[in-house]
């Protein structure tokens, strides 16, 4: 014969047993939230479900480290993203209504401006069009260039875009941090620095640096930055891998 007074109530948010109640046995706090609808209710259900499934995975997993469970895009993720999108769109509308942009006088089609530049995010491409100093003059052609400087700049754009497109196919590693693959990380650093130096070259008529020196720095600075980043990451890699392995065997001790 069992005594009903000996039973314990495990309907808590953790307690000693750490058991999270299922959906049909919600705690009193949930009942207070039930009178609210909309985003607040959905947010509460989202985190309650996440906490419960996380607790179930902790109890079922044989490792200290557990898998992460995803959630359906609708309605949880979609409602959250729509709320954030609506907020930022509203801020843009308010700023455009309260701070309208200043409209200058119309351009004069009969005059050419002193400086002609594209938008700032196209400076790198505009700089590649100014690589005419690298276009060789072949003696076989009587000292003439094989192609015009404009064509040479267009080919330079195609080469750079092709290199950027092919790099993901060359590096198929699973590294998540630059220190795990110092070579490819240094290649990325060199590419970023080159994008800045070639952008500066595109506005060389506005930069107070001698043209020959600027041409040299355009290609020397990315190489130097790549070597420095490789040396630093290579020196950090041994200590990083040691700490990573120690953490891994601490979480998953060998059987």
């Amino acid at each position: 014969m069992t005594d009903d007074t000996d039973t314990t109530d495990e309907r808590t948010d953790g307690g000693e047993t750490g058991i999270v109640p299922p959906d049909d046995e919600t705690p009193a706090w949930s009942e207070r939230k039930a009178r609210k609808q909309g985003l607040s209710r959905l947010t509460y259900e989202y985190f309650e479900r996440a906490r419960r499934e996380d607790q179930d995975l902790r109890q079922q997993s044989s490792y200290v480290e557990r898998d992460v469970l995803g959630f359906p895009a609708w309605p949880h993720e979609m409602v959250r993203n729509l709320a954030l999108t609506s907020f930022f769109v509203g801020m843009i509308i308010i700023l455009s209504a309260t701070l309208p942009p200043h409209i200058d006088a119309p351009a004069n089609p009969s005059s050419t401006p002193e400086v002609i530049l594209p938008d700032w995010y196209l400076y790198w491409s505009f700089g590649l069009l100014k690589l005419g100093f690298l276009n060789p003059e072949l003696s076989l052609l009587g000292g003439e260039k094989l192609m015009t400087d404009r064509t040479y700049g267009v080919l330079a754009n195609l080469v750079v875009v092709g290199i950027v497109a092919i790099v993901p196919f060359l590096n198929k590693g699973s590294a998540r941090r630059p220190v795990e693959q110092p070579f490819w990380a240094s290649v990325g650093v060199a590419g970023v620095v080159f994008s800045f130096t070639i952008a500066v070259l595109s506005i060389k008529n506005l930069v107070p640096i001698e043209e020959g020196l600027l041409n040299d720095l355009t290609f020397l600075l990315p190489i130097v930055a790549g070597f420095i980043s490789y040396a630093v990451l290579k020196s950090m890699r041994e200590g990083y891998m040691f700490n990573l392995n120690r953490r891994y065997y601490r979480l998953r001790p060998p059987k």
Side-chain angles (χ1 to χ4, degrees), residues 74-94:
W74 176 262
H76 300 87
E77 303 294 337
M78 289 296 296
V79 171
R80 182 196 63 184
N81 295 339
L82 288 175
L84 294 175
T85 303
S86 301
F87 171 77
F88 286 108
V89 170
M91 292 298 297
I92 293 174
I93 294 175
I94 292 175

Side-chain angles (χ1 to χ4, degrees), residues 124-132 147-162:
W124 65 271
S125 180
F126 195 63
L128 292 174
L129 295 176
K130 294 187 177 182
L131 294 180
M147 63 186 73
T148 62
D149 292 343
R150 180 181 301 178
T151 305
Y152 188 83
V154 173
L155 290 179
N157 276 271
L158 294 177
V159 170
V160 170
V161 173

Side-chain angles (χ1 to χ4, degrees), residues 166-175 181 184:
I166 202 174
V167 164
F169 296 96
L170 298 177
N171 178 25
K172 297 183 179 180
S174 59
Q181 289 188 341
W184 289 108

Side-chain angles (χ1 to χ4, degrees), residues 61-80:
S61 178
S62 59
Y63 297 110
V64 177
E65 188 180 47
R66 66 191 187 284
D67 298 329
V68 179
L69 190 66
F71 296 94
W74 176 262
H76 300 87
E77 303 294 337
M78 289 296 296
V79 171
R80 182 196 63 184

Side-chain angles (χ1 to χ4, degrees), residues 5-69:
T5 60
D6 294 334
T7 60
T8 59
D9 187 8
E10 295 181 349
R11 296 174 56 186
T12 62
D13 288 342
E16 296 180 356
T17 59
I19 299 177
V20 180
D23 288 335
D24 56 348
E25 297 180 5
T26 53
W29 184 74
S30 171
E31 297 173 358
R32 294 197 304 270
K33 293 287 293 185
R35 67 176 182 268
K36 295 185 178 180
Q37 303 296 329
L39 183 61
S40 60
R41 175 64 184 175
L42 189 62
T43 304
Y44 163 72
E45 293 177 352
Y46 178 84
F47 286 106
E48 280 296 307
R49 179 183 173 186
R51 186 164 58 87
R52 184 176 65 255
E53 294 185 356
D54 180 78
Q55 184 66 44
D56 293 340
L57 285 176
R58 286 176 181 270
Q59 295 176 351
Q60 297 174 4
S61 178
S62 59
Y63 297 110
V64 177
E65 188 180 47
R66 66 191 187 284
D67 298 329
V68 179
L69 190 66

